[in-house]
Amino acid sequence: MATPRRVVVADDDLLVREGVASLLSGAGYEVTGRAGDATALIDVIRDSVPDLAVIDIRMPPTHTWEGLDAARAIRADFPEVGILLLSAFVEVETAIDLLQSGDRIGYLLKDRIMKVADVVDALERIADGGSVVDPGLVQALVAQRRRGDRLAELTAREREVLALMAEGRSNIGIADRLFITEGAVEKHVRSILSKLGLPAAEDSHRRVLAVLTFLGAS
Amino acid sequence: MHASSERLGRLAGEQAAARRVAGLLASGAPAAELFAAVVQEVVDVLDVPRGWMFRYEPDRSVLVLASLNDPGFPVGCRIPLDGPSVAAMIHDTGRPARIDDYAGLPGSIARRASEAGVREAFGVPITVDGRTWGMIGVGPTEERPLPADTEARLSGFTELVASAIASTESRDRLRRLADWQASLRQVATLVAEGAPMAELFAVAAERIVGVLDVSAMAVFRFDPNRTATVVTSVNAPRFPIGSQWPLDGPSLSAEVFATGRAARIDDYSELAGTIAAGVRGSGLGSSVGLPIIVDGRVWGMSCVGTTGDDPLPAGVETELHDFVELFAIAISNAESRDRLRRLAVQQAALRRVATRVAEGAAPAELFAVVAREVARVLDVSSASVVRFEADNTSVVVASFNDPGFPVGSRWPHDGPSLNATVFQTGRSARIDNYPALPGPVAAAAGVSGVEFGVGVPIAVDGEVWGMVAVGRRRRREELPDVAVSSGRLVLATESTREIESRLSAFTEIVATAISKAQTLDDLRQLAAEQAALRHVATLVAAAAPPDEIFAAVVDEVAQILGLEGIELVRFGADGTATVIGASGDHPFPAGSGWRLGDPSIMTAVFRTGEPARVDDYNELPGTIASAARSAGFRSAIGAPIVVGGRTWGVIVAFSSLPGTYPERSETRLNEFTELIATAVSNATARADLVASRARIVTAGDEARRRLERNLHDGTQQRLIALGLDLQRLRSTLPADQRAVHAGLENAERDLGSVLEEVRELSRGLHPAQLSRRGLGPSLRALSHKSPIPVDIEVDVEPRPPESIETAVYYIVSEAITNAIKHSHASAISVTVARNDAVVHAAIADDGIGGAAPEDGSGLMGLNDRVEALGGRFALDSPRDQGTTISIALPITLASGPPRRPDIAV
């Protein structure tokens, strides 16, 4: 990286906060601020206007959804800041809510921060304009049993592609993952969208929303 | 650049210190060791010579938890906050504080500091759950001054200490809460099942000693003669069950008895009185007592005590309160049952007597039967029937277990006696203490062993013909130990008034038998009346809705008295009266409300609590009288309905003639009012029980919510921090140490699966998104995990209260789990809908059916939960045709039950 990306970290737990910050520093990011609650987070964002913010959903005072509300406020006032939300539970409604507020948003299960590669992958995709949805949530949604399930019409390969679409990966990203060509990915995507009755979306962000909405409406 | 790397180095040092403390914390090190370690790390990090940690005590003093390099403040020592000091300033402001020079300042801390050579001190608060729990302080010197950002650097440590304390405290609280709720639920179940009182008290006392922070527990019943009887006791050797104690003070019993409120005594060492001596003799100290209030009267007291020197914790009253409420409900229920039983016994006895009359038994035989039945029904030691003679004497015509008054004996009416009083006044009489009286009658009572007596006149054709008298031995003999095991000890002793009213039923039969001219007619009347009473009593015993019982009473009374105008009225708290039952077509229809105050039966009964009559409405002013006149009524009689010592309402019978009613109309009304009172008191007790069970369930849900939060904000965060540490450790390892790399990776993977388990565990405790997103999304998230497809349809706008959502969520979740485990279904469907007052939910599957609540499938638990919230549960599970569980939960009840709901009438 030529100039390190600038990140702020918000988590109410001192050890976790410092742990994440030191992990990101080690991975080449510049940690420009730390916050233990939503109010302090908005302050450090205003002070340093970073490229990215890593935010825990549960923070004081109520330990419920402060991080989510802070993310919305940041999106409104500092639209240039990419946001990665961490949460002990990932839920499809929250994912859809978040993605509806725009692109460059990520939503990961908090455990993932113990894998530095996954965090860096997510942060880089967000910084590059993409969206990130936790693969665990996507797996659960794809694996869910439904009555009259249209997913049953997909081939095994198409299911893999669908899951990667739902995680927010671009066609190139999917091609890299599955070791196939971008053209082959495009073909699969068209087939999937037509089998599921979804409109063709011009960008990957809209596509994530459409796919998640389909999977979430059980 | 240099400054920044120095800062980084320092930060790393602090991180390492914090991690060492966190490690101790996670390993469950003893508190003393943890506190000492924190102070050591603080002193090292700040590079100052001295450090302390204090905890604030309730009595405005501090307890030294840890102390480094300072003999003036030894660990374990308590110091009052009696002068200016850093500790006092933090205590009062909750903010960091500094003292530049202790020399010359007054107070204990300043004195010790000066003696130890401490001039300057700085401290920060340890804040736990919003309150200032304690402080960490440091003492710099001129050579080793405090760094500029001391406050910020200390805060990391105080945060850690606070989180350790908060998690320890909340763990303890949660465990205690869970035990307490399980115990309450067990006691509530016993109450609901109508378990014998002795068993109920014994179980409850054992559980209370087990779950509350107390050493001993006892329940006292207050008796009429200013004494208290122990009905249960645990670990209080000087207070065995059945022992009686005078209510002498100062004592909890005396105070609770006098005030009807909770009382607390923390120090018995100097107190006078037998109870205080008993408390000391039992090795007990600080004690708390709560009144047991049954139907508005102080029935007794439930108390707990501790053996230690410390006072009982402040919350004990609250924790004990819910048990005491259950006791009150149970006692009220038992008393209702007992009233019904006594009534049934009495009805049977009356029937036997009436049968003998109808068979034309000779008077002497009839009188003997009456004496025997009276003695049996009233639970008295002796009974006799007496005839008054013209020469101012009385003759005993029947005598049961009453050797002082043999049949045929004659007694003059010159000394104080029941005979003389009843004869002279024509009314019931009572003697409380025969041995204190002079004269031959009192002496004969002594021969019968009687100290207490009641006599009721036998009136034949308007003349006082004689009386029926009963006698009892002293009251303390009425409470033998055996009564405890039969469960009867807890019941209130029958009041004199009750004895009189029961006796009068017999004297009426005797009078009837004597008045030959009317015998046959009256017997028919009596039979009709008995049948009517039985009909109503059956409804009461079957717990029929109060409305139905009121309607039945009005109809039966109208028929028996042959009067068209009967009304049943309930008094309101605001000086109004509402008609809740009426027969015929008249100006007091059911549902109409009347303001009390105008002269009327209602007003008179409301004010006096006694029966009342109006001989002629033409002579009365006011709206009620004019309404009565307009309907053609001229006169009326009314009898009070007394519930729990309070005049609850009145039953009124109107006549179109001035001052004429069928004979004994008031007595007949009275018999019905007793049944109404029992019905009302039953219904209130049932409503109390429902509300109490609902509170227990709601509190349990709340505890699960807190436990979930604890797991999340404590355990999960700590595990993640640990994972980050492992990862950092691995990144610093040289790449050639493959085995160590692999070992660390394994540990990280294991940690990942532990985190997943914790996550699933906490999700099972409480769905985190329920309060924000409501039932629909939460139930759909649940269905994502199901191996059987689940269709979910939820339409509950506007959203019900959170307690209802939580209840529905658990019920649906349990039902789905049940279907997955047992049904072999291929699909499950869930529908949830609401109207104004009720949430309906149905969980249906297409599986093998044949589910029954008894088979341990969790259906029983579902049923219990729904019923505890006042809802309905239905199971439809024919074999091979799937299973459908339907529930309906009332929104109003479970969202906030009033503590004493009025029954709906």
Side-chain angles (χ1 to χ4, degrees):
Chain A
M1 261 176 266
T3 45
R5 295 202 202 272
R6 306 167 73 245
V7 184
V8 302
V9 178
D11 194 306
D12 63 308
D13 189 296
L14 173 77
L15 291 181
V16 173
R17 184 165 73 231
E18 294 302 334
V20 172
S22 114
L23 179 116
L24 292 178
S25 306
Y29 291 87
E30 183 190 350
V31 179
T32 61
R34 298 164 171 78
D37 58 50
T39 320
L41 170 62
I42 304 288
D43 288 345
V44 297
I45 297 261
R46 186 177 299 114
D47 289 350
S48 69
V49 192
D51 301 312
L52 292 158
V54 179
I55 306 170
D56 184 29
I57 280 206
R58 276 162 82 140
M59 283 193 290
T62 69
H63 293 273
T64 51
W65 305 86
E66 284 77 4
L68 191 56
D69 296 334
R72 291 228 177 81
I74 292 168
R75 185 39 59 109
D77 294 344
F78 307 94
E80 65 275 31
V81 179
I83 294 171
L84 174 60
L85 269 159
L86 299 176
S87 173
F89 305 108
V90 288
E91 290 133 356
V92 67
E93 278 83 8
T94 307
I96 293 170
D97 254 20
L98 265 174
L99 294 175
Q100 275 168 346
S101 66
D103 57 7
R104 287 182 305 117
I105 294 249
Y107 179 45
L108 285 187
L109 193 61
K110 196 160 180 189
D111 308 7
R112 308 257 175 240
I113 59 172
M114 295 183 347
K115 286 209 171 153
V116 67
D118 289 0
V119 182
V120 170
D121 173 56
L123 286 175
E124 289 306 304
R125 278 160 60 200
I126 294 168
D128 291 342
S131 314
V132 175
V133 175
D134 193 89
L137 171 65
V138 172
Q139 285 308 327
L141 290 174
V142 172
Q144 188 194 345
R145 304 267 328 264
R146 298 170 175 80
R147 265 207 284 197
D149 196 350
R150 293 165 99 168
L151 289 188
E153 296 169 27
L154 302 188
T155 64
R157 172 62 84 185
E158 283 170 347
R159 276 171 176 260
E160 282 180 297
V161 174
L162 176 73
L164 290 167
M165 281 161 70
E167 285 177 25
R169 301 206 177 261
S170 62
N171 286 358
I172 305 176
I174 298 174
D176 285 352
R177 282 260 159 163
L178 298 179
F179 304 106
I180 55 180
T181 65
E182 204 183 336
V185 173
E186 277 166 18
K187 218 174 71 202
H188 285 310
V189 169
R190 269 197 304 278
S191 163
I192 292 167
L193 294 179
S194 108
K195 281 181 182 175
L196 300 186
L198 297 176
E202 52 271 36
D203 63 68
S204 70
H205 176 73
R206 258 175 239 276
R207 196 166 78 182
V208 180
L209 255 180
V211 173
L212 273 188
T213 309
F214 172 83
L215 290 172
S218 74
Chain B
M1 216 41 222
H2 175 71
S4 136
S5 83
E6 186 184 331
R7 227 191 66 207
L8 273 175
R10 213 187 58 213
L11 187 68
E14 279 164 29
Q15 288 294 317
R19 267 203 306 283
R20 279 194 294 278
V21 173
L24 265 181
L25 213 161
S27 71
E33 193 182 313
L34 178 70
F35 296 144
V38 169
V39 172
Q40 179 70 57
E41 297 285 4
V42 164
V43 163
D44 288 351
V45 162
L46 297 181
D47 190 27
V48 291
R50 296 186 173 107
W52 313 271
M53 189 186 306
F54 294 160
R55 185 180 76 204
Y56 293 115
E57 300 297 310
D59 58 352
R60 202 176 161 79
S61 66
V62 293
L63 176 68
V64 180
L65 299 174
S67 164
L68 199 69
N69 301 331
D70 192 351
F73 296 89
V75 172
C77 146
R78 254 169 110 141
I79 310 168
L81 294 175
D82 52 1
S85 64
V86 170
M89 286 152 75
I90 293 175
H91 178 272
D92 296 340
T93 64
R95 305 178 56 82
R98 169 190 293 277
I99 294 251
D100 288 329
D101 191 354
Y102 267 116
L105 291 181
S108 310
I109 290 187
R111 184 174 48 75
R112 283 165 183 262
S114 303
E115 281 169 16
V118 176
R119 275 173 59 88
E120 186 186 350
F122 173 77
V124 290
I126 301 171
T127 310
V128 176
D129 291 341
R131 82 197 139 87
T132 308
W133 180 90
M135 61 157 285
I136 296 181
V138 290
T141 54
E142 269 172 44
E143 304 83 60
R144 294 160 75 180
L146 285 177
D149 53 352
T150 300
E151 181 181 334
R153 293 167 65 181
L154 275 181
S155 71
F157 290 98
T158 56
E159 247 180 68
L160 265 175
V161 173
S163 91
I165 292 158
S167 75
T168 312
E169 287 188 349
S170 71
R171 222 179 12 254
D172 284 357
R173 271 204 304 273
L174 274 167
R175 185 181 47 72
R176 276 169 50 100
L177 188 69
D179 288 351
W180 173 75
Q181 277 171 348
S183 309
L184 257 187
R185 213 172 296 137
Q186 187 187 0
V187 174
T189 307
L190 285 177
V191 173
E193 288 167 351
M197 292 307 299
E199 178 193 341
L200 177 79
F201 279 135
V203 170
E206 288 291 345
R207 299 301 312 241
I208 286 171
V209 170
V211 300
L212 304 191
D213 212 357
V214 301
S215 321
M217 197 270 167
V219 174
F220 288 85
R221 186 195 59 211
F222 295 140
D223 297 327
N225 48 345
R226 273 194 72 80
T227 58
T229 304
V230 178
V231 297
T232 199
S233 89
V234 171
N235 297 345
R238 295 282 298 276
F239 296 90
I241 293 176
S243 60
Q244 269 199 314
W245 297 82
L247 290 176
D248 57 2
S251 67
L252 290 182
S253 321
E255 198 177 332
V256 170
F257 180 77
T259 64
R261 298 208 187 142
R264 164 187 278 265
I265 294 182
D266 281 333
D267 185 3
Y268 274 96
S269 56
E270 306 284 317
L271 299 184
T274 42
I275 295 184
V279 173
R280 283 193 296 274
S282 298
L284 296 172
S286 170
S287 311
V288 163
L290 263 62
I292 302 175
I293 297 179
V294 178
D295 297 335
R297 71 181 200 278
V298 183
W299 179 93
M301 173 185 81
S302 180
C303 57
V304 294
T306 177
T307 50
D309 290 335
D310 293 332
L312 284 167
V316 161
E317 286 92 341
T318 322
E319 291 176 317
L320 187 58
H321 175 265
D322 282 1
F323 284 102
V324 173
E325 217 175 47
L326 286 174
F327 291 167
I329 293 170
I331 293 163
S332 168
N333 280 344
E335 289 185 347
S336 294
R337 278 197 301 274
D338 199 58
R339 270 200 298 277
L340 278 172
R341 188 185 54 76
R342 285 206 303 256
L343 202 64
V345 170
Q346 173 168 354
Q347 300 290 333
L350 282 170
R351 260 202 314 283
R352 282 194 292 275
V353 175
T355 310
R356 300 301 294 137
V357 173
E359 290 167 359
E365 187 204 339
L366 183 69
F367 297 147
V369 170
V370 166
R372 191 179 67 230
E373 296 286 1
V374 162
R376 180 187 299 170
V377 166
L378 294 184
D379 198 18
V380 291
S381 56
S382 61
S384 58
V385 181
V386 173
R387 186 180 72 228
F388 297 145
E389 301 288 286
D391 60 356
N392 210 15
T393 60
S394 25
V395 173
V396 178
V397 295
S399 159
F400 182 81
N401 198 21
D402 209 355
F405 301 91
V407 173
S409 60
R410 183 176 289 267
W411 304 87
H413 290 171
D414 47 4
S417 67
L418 291 178
N419 312 34
T421 314
V422 172
F423 177 75
Q424 278 147 23
T425 64
R427 299 168 67 163
S428 302
R430 185 180 76 163
I431 286 184
D432 283 334
N433 192 2
Y434 267 120
L437 296 179
V441 174
V447 173
S448 291
V450 164
E451 296 188 12
F452 165 82
V454 173
V456 173
I458 302 169
V460 178
D461 299 336
E463 298 277 317
V464 180
W465 179 91
M467 71 166 188
V468 176
V470 294
R472 271 185 173 173
R473 302 192 167 88
R474 279 317 274 173
R475 285 201 165 84
R476 65 171 169 276
E477 292 172 35
E478 294 161 20
L479 304 166
D481 286 351
V482 289
V484 175
S485 57
S486 75
R488 283 190 47 207
L489 177 61
V490 296
L491 300 175
T493 46
E494 234 173 345
S495 70
T496 311
R497 198 173 147 171
E498 272 180 284
I499 293 179
E500 284 173 22
S501 104
R502 285 174 203 289
L503 265 183
S504 61
F506 288 93
T507 60
E508 277 156 19
I509 298 194
V510 175
T512 306
I514 293 164
S515 172
K516 291 182 182 66
Q518 291 184 22
T519 301
L520 285 175
D521 262 7
D522 283 6
L523 275 179
R524 263 198 295 280
Q525 172 80 32
L526 190 68
E529 191 178 320
Q530 296 293 324
L533 275 173
R534 258 201 313 283
H535 173 214
V536 177
T538 310
L539 287 176
V540 172
D547 282 342
E548 193 182 321
I549 293 171
F550 299 154
V553 167
V554 168
D555 284 354
E556 297 287 4
V557 171
Q559 273 185 23
I560 284 172
L561 298 185
L563 293 176
E564 67 283 10
I566 308 293
E567 60 162 353
L568 191 54
V569 171
R570 178 181 181 175
F571 297 134
D574 53 351
T576 58
T578 308
V579 179
I580 55 173
S583 82
D585 181 22
H586 62 72
F588 304 100
S592 61
W594 301 85
R595 179 144 289 282
L596 295 167
D598 285 345
S600 68
I601 302 253
M602 293 183 217
T603 306
V605 170
F606 178 71
R607 288 196 178 139
T608 64
E610 298 285 337
R613 63 164 63 202
V614 166
D615 285 330
D616 194 345
Y617 275 115
N618 284 341
E619 292 162 8
L620 289 186
T623 49
I624 300 180
S626 83
R629 278 197 300 277
S630 71
F633 294 138
R634 288 295 296 279
S635 62
I637 52 173
I641 301 163
V642 179
V643 179
R646 187 170 62 91
T647 310
W648 182 89
V650 58
I651 183 163
V652 187
F654 296 96
S655 166
S656 51
L657 300 171
T660 28
Y661 322 92
E663 236 181 299
R664 305 189 303 111
S665 295
E666 274 128 326
T667 312
R668 290 162 170 181
L669 283 182
N670 259 331
E671 283 168 353
F672 285 98
T673 60
E674 224 176 80
L675 283 170
I676 296 172
T678 303
V680 169
S681 138
N682 277 348
T684 309
R686 267 197 306 279
D688 280 357
L689 186 59
V690 167
S692 163
R693 290 176 77 185
R695 275 198 303 281
I696 294 170
V697 167
T698 313
D701 291 348
E702 174 60 16
R704 288 167 68 136
R705 199 179 63 71
R706 265 180 309 195
L707 192 56
E708 184 268 336
R709 205 167 123 177
N710 240 39
L711 267 183
H712 179 97
D713 296 328
T715 314
Q716 276 177 301
Q717 292 281 64
R718 198 146 293 141
L719 287 172
I720 286 175
L722 184 58
L724 289 168
D725 266 359
L726 286 177
Q727 205 181 132
R728 185 170 32 217
L729 184 59
R730 189 157 55 86
S731 72
T732 61
L733 269 183
D736 56 357
Q737 300 210 12
R738 295 235 174 95
V740 184
H741 265 287
L744 282 176
E745 266 170 355
N746 268 340
E748 285 168 40
R749 247 194 317 278
D750 287 351
L751 193 60
S753 33
V754 172
L755 265 169
E756 202 167 320
E757 277 169 34
V758 172
R759 190 165 54 243
E760 285 309 312
L761 181 64
S762 75
R763 194 202 287 275
L765 280 172
H766 180 81
Q769 63 171 342
L770 182 59
S771 62
R772 186 176 178 104
R773 306 204 181 274
L775 273 172
S778 305
L779 290 177
R780 268 193 288 280
L782 192 67
S783 74
H784 296 333
K785 306 260 167 191
S786 166
I788 303 175
V790 185
D791 266 349
I792 295 199
E793 250 178 70
V794 177
D795 182 10
V796 285
E797 288 302 322
R799 284 179 62 179
E802 192 173 347
S803 63
I804 294 288
E805 288 193 331
T806 309
V808 172
Y809 178 85
Y810 288 143
I811 290 162
V812 173
S813 160
E814 177 67 29
I816 290 179
T817 308
N818 221 39
I820 292 170
K821 273 196 208 152
H822 305 288
S823 74
H824 304 284
S826 68
I828 301 173
S829 79
V830 174
T831 53
V832 185
R834 71 165 285 176
N835 61 27
D836 285 348
V838 181
V839 174
H840 292 276
I843 305 93
D845 67 55
D846 59 357
I848 56 172
E854 302 78 39
D855 61 10
S857 56
L859 291 171
M860 192 73 115
L862 278 183
N863 189 9
D864 279 356
R865 173 178 269 277
V866 173
E867 280 186 359
L869 293 170
R872 288 194 319 278
F873 173 93
L875 172 70
D876 181 26
S877 188
R879 196 155 287 286
D880 297 327
Q881 292 176 52
T883 299
T884 299
I885 291 169
S886 316
I887 62 153
L889 283 182
I891 288 170
T892 43
L893 180 69
S895 64
R899 288 194 81 76
R900 274 199 173 270
D902 240 350
I903 61 160
V905 291

